[in-house]
Amino acid sequence: MTELLGPAEIRALAAELDVRPTKKLGQNFVHDPNTVRRIVDLSGIGEGDVVLEVGPGLGSLTLGLLATGAEVVAVEIDPVLAGRLPNTVAERGGAERLKVVGADALRITADDLPARPTALVANLPYNVAVPVVLHLLAELPSLTSGLVMVQTEVADRMAAGPGSRTYGVPSVKLAWYGKARKVAAVPRAVFWPVPNVDSALVAFERGDLVWSVARERLFAVVDAAFSQRRKTLRAALASWAGSADRAGELLEKAGIDPKTRGEQLDVHQFVRIAAAAG
């Protein structure tokens, strides 16, 4: 069994590297082995999977993922952490199945990676969690599933359904790719340093739907609809459509009441609006 990192090992590694976790990079390192095992178990990954891990940090989750027999491609923006990770893994086993890519996850493409990942499993920096997930789903069609740890508030938005207070742009855009659901809460005490927000795990699976409009066109409609959340869609979509009257025409063509608000529509209805524009 792979030896996972505990609080003492995490602090020793940080001291060795003179790493001081920064809010800018959203660095909160998991130091509880049981939490790592739980994340790995909930991810459902195993031998034969190629896992993309974003922000591996000091390697807590990386070791847990490798223990399943899966291959891991770890994308780390911090050059010091990226440089140390292979040695940390080599000391505990599984180094032959680890590839480290020193890069910004918001900028990578499939060509930047040494293998085509099938799953995303990561403790994501809170400030870029949604953009990272959406970017990776767009750039990496090989990704069919994922389990990410994010701020609870972000998790609620990612998994929300129409009509809920937390439903918005992230909810609809993720629904374009597939089904997202909140699966578990994660206590603050398992992190070092302890964050001032709660965390949760969100799982998602890519769907096999074929949409009638391009992603960029749909996302433009969604952005416009929620840019003025309290307004009716006729008013909120005026700039996107060219005028409020034109927005009303397109909504009626799509079979949607112009007095409706964006938070009441699901992704299929937004597709109809985008398609109505031709």
Side-chain angles (χ1 to χ4, degrees), residues 72-114:
V72 176
V73 177
V75 176
E76 175 57 64
I77 194 173
D78 187 319
V80 173
L81 296 176
R84 180 61 169 87
L85 186 58
N87 293 335
T88 301
V89 172
E91 293 163 1
R92 292 165 174 80
E96 71 282 356
R97 286 180 282 107
L98 172 69
K99 300 290 188 298
V100 180
V101 178
D104 182 348
L106 281 169
R107 298 179 180 276
I108 61 169
T109 67
D111 291 339
D112 297 322
L113 302 178

Side-chain angles (χ1 to χ4, degrees), residues 2-7 9-14 16-17 19 21 27-37 39-40 51 53-68 72-78 80-95 98-100 121-123 149 190-192:
T2 301
E3 179 189 353
L4 301 182
L5 301 177
E9 291 83 5
I10 289 291
R11 290 179 182 274
L13 273 171
E16 172 197 326
L17 300 174
V19 168
Q27 291 172 322
N28 295 95
F29 303 121
V30 178
H31 62 54
D32 178 55
N34 287 330
T35 297
V36 170
R37 293 187 186 99
I39 293 170
V40 172
V51 183
E53 184 188 6
V54 173
L58 295 169
S60 302
L61 181 56
T62 313
L63 291 166
L65 295 170
L66 289 167
T68 67
V72 176
V73 177
V75 176
E76 175 57 64
I77 194 173
D78 187 319
V80 173
L81 296 176
R84 180 61 169 87
L85 186 58
N87 293 335
T88 301
V89 172
E91 293 163 1
R92 292 165 174 80
L98 172 69
K99 300 290 188 298
V100 180
V121 184
N123 169 23
M149 182 155 56
V190 305
F191 296 97
W192 175 75

Side-chain angles (χ1 to χ4, degrees), residues 166-186:
T166 52
Y167 185 71
V169 172
S171 322
V172 185
K173 289 184 177 180
L174 268 175
W176 163 270
Y177 292 104
K179 175 68 174 175
R181 58 193 174 88
K182 186 176 170 183
V183 295
V186 181

Side-chain angles (χ1 to χ4, degrees), residues 122-167:
N123 169 23
L124 292 177
Y126 294 153
N127 54 340
V128 294
V130 171
V132 164
V133 171
L134 291 175
H135 173 74
L136 294 176
L137 284 170
E139 291 291 332
L140 306 174
S142 61
L143 278 180
T144 58
S145 66
L147 182 71
V148 294
M149 182 155 56
V150 297
Q151 182 178 341
T152 298
E153 180 185 342
V154 174
D156 290 338
R157 293 203 300 268
M158 292 172 73
S164 68
R165 180 180 57 81
T166 52
Y167 185 71

